[in-house]
Structures are given as C-alpha cells and as structure tokens.
Amino acid sequence: MTHPDLSLDIQGDIAIVRLTRPAKRNALNDGLILALRDTFQNLPDTVRAAVLDGEGPHFCAGLDLSELSERDAGAGVRHSRMWHAALELVQHGPVPVVAALHGAVVGGGLELASACHIRVADASTFYALPEGTRGIFVGGGGSVRIPRLIGVARMTDMMMTGRVYNAEDGERAGFAQYLVPEGAAFDKAVELARRIATNAPLTNYALMHALPRIAEQGADHGFFTEALMAGIVQDAPEAKARVRAFLEGKAAKVSKG
Ligand code: 1HE
C-alpha cells in the first residue's frame, strides 16, 4: 500500500493507520477511501489490532467536497457504495480498530469513526454532520452506524439543525467510549489496541462479527447465534489454556477499575 495521504506503521502486533492530509484536514477523496480499503484488507497476518489516527489538529473533515460537484445520480450511488465497501473492511476486516479522535470528527469523518470498534476522544474533539446544511445526505454508512451509537433522534437533530457536540457531550451521547485530556487520544488508543491484541483471536472475532449481528436479531435467533458462537470460541485450545491458568492461580483476577 502506498498513498501519499495514508501511512501504515506496523509496531509489533498492532498497526497504526494514519490519515496524513492535514493541510486539507484529512478530507477523504476517492483515492484515500480506496487506500483505506486496501490497507485494512491487506494488513499482515501478524497484526492483531489497529489504531486509526489523523495527522494535524483534526481527525477528519469528511468527504472531500471538491470532488462532489460533477457527479450525477448514478455516480453518486456508486460513490456511496465505494465508501460502504471500504468502511465495511474497517468494521468487519481482519482486526479490531481503535479510533484516536481529536478536533473535527465531522461528516464522513464521523462515518469513518463509527466503523471503528472503539473510539477514544480527546477534549478537543467535536462531532457534526454538516451534510444536512450542505444540501446532501450521509453516504458512508452513517445512517446505519451512527444511530446505533447515539439514536435516530440525536442524528436527526444534528442533520436538521447543524448541531455540534463537544467532546464531553459527545461522550455522554455515545460517540466515544473514552474521553481523555487534549493530546492524549493516540497514546490511549495504542494502549487499548495493545491490550486487545492479547485477547484470544477467536474472542475478538466473535466480538467484531457476531456481537453486532446478534444485536440486530430477534431474541430467539440471538440466543441461538450466541450459543453457537460460545461453543466455537470455548473449543479453541487457547480458551482452555486461559481458563486453566485462572483456575491454577496464574491469571489476573478481575479488579476494580
Ligand atoms: C476541505 C474540507 C473538505 C477542509 N473537503 N476541503 N465536511 C464538511 O462540511 C466540513 C468542512 N470543513 C470544515 O468545516 C473545516 O475545514 C474544519 C472545521 C474541519 C476545520 O477548520 P479549519 O479552520 O481548521 O480549516 P479550514 O481553513 O476550514 O480548512 C483548511 C483547508 O482544508 C482549506 O483548504 P485551503 O486550500 O483553503 O487551505 C479547506 O477548504 C480544506 N478543507 N475540509 C475539501 N471536507 C460519504 S458522504 C460524506 C459526506 C460528508 O462528509 S459532507 C461533510 C463534509
């Protein structure tokens, strides 16, 4: 993968993927979306978790608006589907992804962050969906993923009124699972990714692939899918070794945070 606006840095078993277009606030043009897709699709097998970061004062200003003007309806549909394919590889790709958020997390930038599994936001973060006021609609999976974080009512409000959430209100609303001081999001995201990378791979797989699907199933189907997944995950030799280690007093207890 080589793209001037995206970097990939493998640090042991975690990958640092960074948008490197700060002069344009990491706005996502077609090339960058395709580079994101290719990067997540082709992560080395040794990688067990990833961090997604943005260079400069803003995580991501969303769609590169300079590419929007000449598209007709058909091209617009295909463009949206291209984003879906790329962000699908973030959400349901090979490894869990922790987003390190700061500054603007807006429009397609919020759609990208929503495709990640964990979001860590620093105090400078703000969230918005300016699509509503620019006369367009979300197209990067936002209407599917964002209501699952904050609810349909809040997303409707953001798009209809241009409401902007600051970092604190955003965390309370459900955009981010962690809120940290300004400048600390990347380090916290790396710490979490390193921790996630120590999990049994099949547990991470179940959390990425089964949990969100179960959440969309009716209770009866959900219980059945859960039982299948539970059976498969506990059968792995690694699961048995970890449980044995606890019973032999060799594994950490759960302790108060
Ligand atoms: C851009 C973009 C962009 C910045 N496309 N060029 N997203 C938006 O509507 C958000 C638009 N951006 C902003 O509101 C602001 O730029 C920020 C709040 C993110 C940052 O403000 P600031 O003062 O730090 O930067 P700036 O001076 O506004 O921007 C610096 C440069 O980046 C400037 O270009 P320059 O050549 O004049 O230096 C900006 O034009 C450029 N820039 N954002 C193109 N988004 C799958 S559908 C998704 C639909 C959407 O995402 S719509 C929402 C788009």
Side-chain angles (χ1 to χ4, degrees), residues 114-132:
S114 303
C116 299
H117 303 91
I118 296 182
R119 284 156 294 281
V120 180
D122 86 2
S124 72
T125 306
F126 58 96
Y127 309 90
L129 290 169
E131 288 91 334

Side-chain angles (χ1 to χ4, degrees), residues 21-28 33 57-58 60-68 71 79-80 83-84 87 103-111 126 128-134 136-142:
R21 204 188 176 205
K24 295 289 180 186
R25 307 310 185 242
N26 296 321
L28 298 165
I33 286 294
H58 300 287
C60 178
L63 175 71
D64 186 328
L65 292 168
S66 68
E67 284 190 346
L68 189 77
R71 250 180 240 135
H79 179 261
S80 171
W83 272 62
H84 291 165
L87 270 52
V105 182
V106 305
L110 180 51
E111 295 184 282
F126 58 96
L129 290 169
E131 288 91 334
T133 45
R134 306 233 187 273
I136 53 178
F137 190 61
V138 283

Side-chain angles (χ1 to χ4, degrees), residues 1-253:
M1 188 278 312
T2 50
H3 190 280
D5 299 328
L6 193 70
S7 74
L8 171 65
D9 180 18
I10 308 293
Q11 297 185 2
D13 52 10
I14 72 166
I16 311 293
V17 181
R18 181 172 286 124
L19 305 170
T20 55
R21 204 188 176 205
K24 295 289 180 186
R25 307 310 185 242
N26 296 321
L28 298 165
N29 55 27
D30 289 0
L32 197 38
I33 286 294
L34 292 174
L36 270 170
R37 180 197 66 186
D38 294 348
T39 299
F40 280 96
Q41 190 157 38
N42 297 314
L43 284 176
D45 289 345
T46 49
V47 168
R48 306 276 289 266
V51 169
L52 179 61
D53 189 26
E55 194 175 308
H58 300 287
F59 174 73
C60 178
L63 175 71
D64 186 328
L65 292 168
S66 68
E67 284 190 346
L68 189 77
S69 49
E70 301 305 326
R71 250 180 240 135
D72 64 14
V77 171
R78 286 192 294 278
H79 179 261
S80 171
R81 298 299 286 160
M82 178 184 79
W83 272 62
H84 291 165
L87 270 52
E88 165 69 14
L89 275 161
V90 176
Q91 183 177 3
H92 291 134
V95 293
V97 184
V98 184
L101 305 180
H102 55 284
V105 182
V106 305
L110 180 51
E111 295 184 282
L112 174 60
S114 303
C116 299
H117 303 91
I118 296 182
R119 284 156 294 281
V120 180
D122 86 2
S124 72
T125 306
F126 58 96
Y127 309 90
L129 290 169
E131 288 91 334
T133 45
R134 306 233 187 273
I136 53 178
F137 190 61
V138 283
S143 60
V144 172
R145 294 192 182 96
I146 296 170
R148 292 193 179 133
L149 299 179
I150 61 166
V152 172
R154 284 199 185 92
M155 178 164 172
T156 306
D157 177 31
M158 288 174 82
M159 293 197 69
M160 280 187 176
T161 69
R163 180 170 179 171
V164 179
Y165 278 81
N166 65 25
E168 217 169 282
D169 293 341
E171 191 237 4
R172 229 174 281 137
F175 286 112
Q177 293 101 316
Y178 294 84
L179 177 61
V180 296
E182 185 164 349
F186 178 72
D187 286 351
K188 182 68 182 176
V190 169
E191 177 197 321
L192 293 170
R194 289 204 191 291
R195 165 84 198 244
I196 292 165
T198 67
N199 290 341
L202 215 45
T203 299
N204 282 341
Y205 186 87
L207 290 170
M208 290 173 65
H209 293 270
L211 187 60
R213 292 186 168 96
I214 292 169
E216 283 167 33
Q217 291 176 341
D220 185 47
H221 288 190
F223 290 134
F224 189 70
T225 310
E226 179 185 276
L228 293 177
M229 202 69 240
I232 293 167
V233 171
Q234 58 95 51
D235 189 47
E238 194 167 359
K240 297 192 186 312
R242 284 170 183 240
V243 172
R244 208 165 36 243
F246 172 76
L247 294 174
E248 291 167 359
K250 294 177 191 154
K253 290 186 195 181

